Amino acid sequence: MKTRKLAAVAGMVSLAVFAAACSSDSSTSTDGGGSTTNNGVPLTGAGSTFAAPIYTQWGKDFNAVESGAQVNYQAIGSGGGVDAITKQTADFGASDAPLQADALAALPAETVQIPTVLGGIAIAYNLPGLTAPLNLDGATAADIFLGKITTWDDPAIAALNSGVSLPSTTIRPVHRSDDSGSTFVFTSYLASQSPSFKKTVGADSTVQWPSGAAGKDGSDGVAGYLVQTEGAVGYISYDYAVANNLGSAAVMASDGSFIAPSVDSISAAGADLAFPIGPETNVLNSKAAGAYPITTTTYVIVYVAQADQAKGQTLVDFLHWGLTKGQETAASLNYAPLPSDIATQALAALATLTYNGQPMTPSAGA
């Protein structure tokens, strides 16, 4: 993701602030077994709108574990999240794409990228009357977003949907206008499927889309346009598609089958995730059986050396809780939990955090 594109979106709106105001000092105690407990302090996270529902829910649930831990998550897009962690205006950044080389070089200190859950980028559409998911392959989807296919009954779409009565409705594409990890994932997928798309649009967190397409900020902005516009098509995280009752295309996998996004098909793609996380890390086009092709991992980005002990401890506790107990929440919000071996490696990455040169370990209950 290009650093020149990592400007935070103006007018940031906090999605959630949980619990009443409390002291910024950590309050710790020792339980009867000698383990340290922590009441927590407020944390600020910023970035991915894709991940906003899960981090919002985690913040609410974790507040019941550490009553002082108010998790203020600002859904400003992955680019904004990378910018916030780079400028150290947030305790954790959130991105749906791993940091690229120039973004890594811009960081003032060592960071670690920790996967939290898996999600699918749905090709969502508003076509009343269809009772089954449309089938699309990568090349056809690319031509839709290039503006080469302009009506829903185009022969290329019809050829993939035998027996389906397709309307002649004009296709109205919508894309993210902000710096977006979802855009990075989706354009990376389309560029891998279409030489024409790779040449004219490319793959990045912000790209120059063909004229005539609508641009909206955030997953909620794209979802809102889709809901209001008959014939619209756009890319949003699967959880937003479900929440807004939108159709989601079944996408052709490498074996020629069509796979619709679901918790199970998104989870299947997680088998391809490998550590350490680097610029090329992705789970697109997984060859695992039943894997949805446009699957991504979402990450939190944190500094290894924590400058504030109280915040560092609460951050470690919150992320440890999310990677363990919080995984149980993922499916209910239409994400997929991390495979157990990946979750174990994510916990190992979290264990690298330090304060004053000493390792930070989770408090009791986290």
Side-chain angles (χ1 to χ4, degrees):
M1 178 176 314
K2 308 288 181 67
T3 52
R4 65 177 181 271
K5 297 175 180 174
L6 299 180
V9 178
M12 294 188 294
V13 178
S14 170
L15 284 189
V17 180
F18 301 106
C22 65
S23 168
S24 62
D25 295 329
S26 178
S27 175
T28 60
S29 60
T30 302
D31 64 21
S35 299
T36 299
T37 59
N38 185 36
N39 290 331
V41 297
L43 294 176
T44 298
S48 166
T49 63
F50 176 100
I54 190 74
Y55 295 154
T56 297
Q57 188 63 50
W58 280 1
K60 183 184 297 182
D61 294 343
F62 185 67
N63 183 247
V65 178
E66 294 186 6
S67 60
Q70 306 167 63
V71 181
N72 176 355
Y73 185 71
Q74 300 172 341
I76 58 175
S78 295
V82 175
D83 189 59
I85 199 67
T86 302
K87 294 178 178 177
Q88 301 180 75
T89 58
D91 300 309
F92 66 92
S95 175
D96 307 324
L99 295 173
Q100 300 302 288
D102 49 359
L104 286 166
L107 292 164
E110 183 183 3
T111 61
V112 62
Q113 301 174 76
I114 303 173
T116 52
V117 291
L118 296 159
I121 303 295
I123 304 177
Y125 52 83
N126 180 346
L127 282 176
L130 291 183
T131 58
L134 281 178
N135 292 334
L136 290 176
D137 59 18
T140 303
D143 282 348
I144 288 172
F145 283 89
L146 286 171
K148 295 181 178 180
I149 295 176
T150 59
T151 62
W152 283 106
D153 61 352
D154 186 276
I157 300 176
L160 299 170
N161 293 275
S162 178
V164 177
S165 178
L166 296 169
S168 59
T169 309
T170 298
I171 297 175
R172 302 187 185 281
V174 57
H175 59 81
R176 290 282 292 274
S177 57
D178 53 332
D179 195 333
S180 162
S182 295
T183 298
F184 181 90
V185 173
F186 188 60
T187 57
S188 295
Y189 170 73
L190 293 184
S192 75
Q193 302 295 299
S194 166
S196 178
F197 190 93
K198 182 176 181 179
K199 180 179 180 180
T200 54
V201 177
D204 211 331
S205 57
T206 58
V207 296
Q208 187 65 47
W209 294 96
S211 60
K216 298 294 178 181
D217 280 354
S219 298
D220 52 349
V222 172
Y225 181 88
L226 288 166
V227 168
Q228 296 167 12
T229 309
E230 188 170 337
V233 62
Y235 57 95
I236 52 174
S237 59
Y238 174 59
D239 56 297
Y240 278 86
V242 173
N244 288 278
N245 296 311
L246 293 163
S248 295
V251 178
M252 183 181 284
S254 57
D255 63 2
S257 63
F258 289 94
I259 309 293
S262 68
V263 170
D264 288 343
S265 65
I266 292 165
S267 181
D272 286 349
L273 189 63
F275 284 76
I277 305 302
E280 303 303 319
T281 299
N282 71 73
V283 293
L284 288 173
N285 297 312
S286 171
K287 296 188 184 304
Y292 178 63
I294 321 177
T295 294
T296 184
T297 312
T298 195
Y299 307 91
V300 294
I301 309 162
V302 294
Y303 285 102
V304 171
Q306 291 289 303
D308 182 297
Q309 185 176 17
K311 283 196 171 188
Q313 187 63 60
T314 303
L315 182 62
V316 167
D317 292 351
F318 173 62
L319 294 178
H320 183 272
W321 184 92
L323 291 168
T324 53
K325 299 179 182 69
Q327 294 295 298
E328 300 169 5
T329 310
S332 67
L333 295 174
N334 297 299
Y335 299 92
L338 297 174
S340 59
D341 61 324
I342 301 301
T344 298
Q345 294 179 77
L347 287 167
L350 179 63
T352 64
L353 269 62
T354 63
Y355 172 71
N356 203 23
Q358 298 300 310
M360 304 192 77
T361 57
S363 303

